[in-house]
Amino acid sequence: TESKHRRCGGDLKTKSTELGSAVTGSPLTAVLPASTTGKKSIILSSETRKELAKQARVAKEERKAQIDERHKYLVSRLADGIGLSEQQVEEAIISDDKFQLIEQFFAPSGLKKLLFFYQDVFQQKSNASLRSHGSTNSLLEKKLFITMGSTEDFTGTCAFFLRTSDKVITASSVSQEVNFGIFDCTNGNILQGLEFFLSQIMIPALKSQQNWGAVKEGLKNSQIQDFLYSVDKFVGALSSSRQNIEDKIQLTKVDVDIYVSNLQNPSDYITAG
């Protein structure tokens, strides 16, 4: 029985070594568990890192080959809106693992919106000495990336594309079928960004709009006027709430003792109430 236990233990040890070798490419490379280091830390061999880098290059080349006039339209609008060069925007797009969301946006009855965040994110930088110790150094850098808007915190600038129909987006129709906009939330101030977006972009655009579809009277129509009034009122309430949250509106402290000391009988209390 004892010998059987020894053999089983030896088998388990061998399998563990083989698993480590399969993951890292070398049995000499250690994989530290989260309980040991306090955080997940997987050390990859140089061969594995080279293979991952090769796969990333191949994926980028495949995505670059898919770039057409539709993508170039998005790239141009993003570059103008965010303030990057078209080369920087294209590089960010083809390097993004969510690249296929663009194809889903172009497809018939596809995604209704396509979001890009441009904000500070932690980028892992490593050098030879850091890799030799199995550690990395995280730096905060601005990055443009595709997002669904539900997993990452929004702290910078959001560039969005909205499609106006369920038709397939083609090179000739992309400028007519797709709307573009920028929502600035610098330093995570979402309320201020929303207030600016509505007051400085949306409301002026609505008030200058000539074509209101079936409403032939346009801005003279009472329902349109009521709608614009409601939007103005909402922006005013939003501004007031934002200032209140930011402690820009402070209530004055009143010394009530002066008034209470002058109350002598029940009629004085009734009058004061």
Side-chain angles (χ1 to χ4, degrees), residues 129-170:
S129 62
L130 288 175
R131 285 197 299 268
S132 66
H133 292 87
S135 60
T136 56
N137 183 26
S138 295
L139 299 175
L140 205 59
E141 292 182 355
K142 274 192 174 298
K143 181 182 178 182
L144 175 67
F145 57 93
I146 306 169
T147 177
M148 292 296 291
S150 58
T151 55
E152 297 89 0
D153 292 336
F154 176 37
T155 59
T157 299
C158 173
F160 58 87
F161 294 92
L162 305 175
R163 58 187 298 163
T164 59
S165 73
D166 289 331
K167 300 177 183 178
V168 60
I169 304 298
T170 64

Side-chain angles (χ1 to χ4, degrees), residues 253-263:
K253 186 177 180 181
V254 179
D255 187 1
V256 297
D257 292 339
I258 299 176
Y259 302 97
V260 174
S261 61
N262 293 327
L263 301 179

Side-chain angles (χ1 to χ4, degrees), residues 41 57 66 159 194-195 202 216 225 262 266:
S41 178
R57 287 196 300 270
Q66 299 178 42
L194 179 59
E195 180 186 341
M202 292 303 300
K216 302 303 179 182
Q225 292 176 359
N262 293 327

